[in-house]
Amino acid sequence: MSTLSKEEIERRLEQLDGWEYVDGALETSFEFKDFKDAFSVMTRIAFECEAQNHHPDWSNVYNSLNIRLNTHDANGVTEKDFKLAKSIEEIIESE
Amino acid sequence: MSTLSKEEIERRLEQLDGWEYVDGALETSFEFKDFKDAFSVMTRIAFECEAQNHHPDWSNVYNSLNIRLNTHDANGVTEKDFKLAKSIEEIIESE
């Protein structure tokens, strides 16, 4: 899978809500009511990641969640990252 | 809850396996077989955190998990961190 150019990444980011291109990855952060809510959403995301066989670099502190997506094998951002970003957005919007 | 001194922290760390005192927190890292195994363990830890009402600063990339524990309210490491560290150790050893 080939990496996307910076221009292509910026163009596609316009179709997503709240994601940025930071240090070579698509990045976003969310805040939830509490830890339980944050981890519940993480669990839903985890199943989707497994289904897509693509995994985030993510961190959680209590009610906050930070997610970074890139494609290690390709050493950049690919279609796989945008597909997963869109799925994550849909999971969070459905809350 | 009062913070523990550096000496007290170092003394207690000897009773744990693989934890270090780094930048004001108890820290450890684990590697699992794959993402599914890592997230399964995270889920068991999450339930224990909720039960103890104490939560980690943690991050995951595929099969690796990094955990940092300190007590934000007390601005340091307290008994609560050692209690949770011990529980996390038991969860991981039971795998």
Side-chain angles (χ1 to χ4, degrees):
Chain A
M1 184 158 289
S2 60
T3 57
L4 302 172
S5 68
K6 191 168 184 303
E7 291 69 29
E8 182 69 11
I9 290 167
E10 295 293 354
R11 194 183 64 73
R12 289 179 187 227
L13 279 174
E14 290 171 17
Q15 294 158 37
L16 292 173
D17 191 25
W19 291 81
E20 288 179 292
Y21 181 54
V22 182
D23 295 337
L26 306 185
E27 182 170 311
T28 195
S29 293
F30 297 98
E31 294 227 333
F32 302 91
K33 194 183 74 182
D34 53 24
F35 175 76
K36 203 159 56 174
D37 274 15
F39 199 80
S40 299
V41 170
M42 287 176 73
T43 305
R44 292 183 59 191
I45 293 172
F47 278 101
E48 187 59 33
C49 295
E50 220 21 44
Q52 295 187 17
N53 193 27
H54 195 49
H55 303 89
D57 177 341
W58 56 352
S59 60
N60 157 249
V61 185
Y62 192 58
N63 67 331
S64 72
L65 175 62
N66 179 272
I67 305 176
R68 283 174 56 81
L69 302 176
N70 64 8
T71 307
H72 291 191
D73 294 349
N75 199 28
V77 170
T78 67
E79 293 280 3
K80 290 176 80 166
D81 299 303
F82 276 97
K83 185 179 176 199
L84 183 54
K86 183 74 186 162
S87 299
I88 290 172
E89 199 167 279
E90 285 168 3
I91 287 169
I92 289 175
E93 280 172 3
S94 73
E95 284 300 297
Chain B
M1 183 158 289
S2 59
T3 58
L4 302 172
S5 68
K6 190 168 186 304
E7 291 69 28
E8 183 68 12
I9 290 167
E10 295 293 355
R11 195 183 63 74
R12 290 181 186 225
L13 278 174
E14 290 171 16
Q15 293 156 41
L16 292 174
D17 191 25
W19 291 81
E20 288 179 292
Y21 182 54
V22 182
D23 296 337
L26 306 185
E27 183 170 311
T28 195
S29 294
F30 297 99
E31 295 225 335
F32 301 91
K33 194 183 75 181
D34 52 24
F35 175 76
K36 203 159 57 174
D37 274 16
F39 198 80
S40 299
V41 170
M42 286 176 73
T43 305
R44 292 183 59 192
I45 293 172
F47 278 100
E48 186 61 32
C49 295
E50 220 22 44
Q52 295 186 19
N53 193 27
H54 195 49
H55 303 88
D57 177 342
W58 56 352
S59 60
N60 157 249
V61 185
Y62 192 57
N63 67 331
S64 72
L65 175 62
N66 179 271
I67 305 176
R68 284 174 55 83
L69 301 176
N70 64 8
T71 306
H72 292 189
D73 294 349
N75 200 28
V77 170
T78 67
E79 293 280 2
K80 290 176 80 166
D81 299 304
F82 276 97
K83 185 180 176 197
L84 183 54
K86 184 72 186 163
S87 298
I88 290 171
E89 200 169 279
E90 285 167 3
I91 287 169
I92 289 174
E93 281 172 1
S94 74
E95 285 300 298

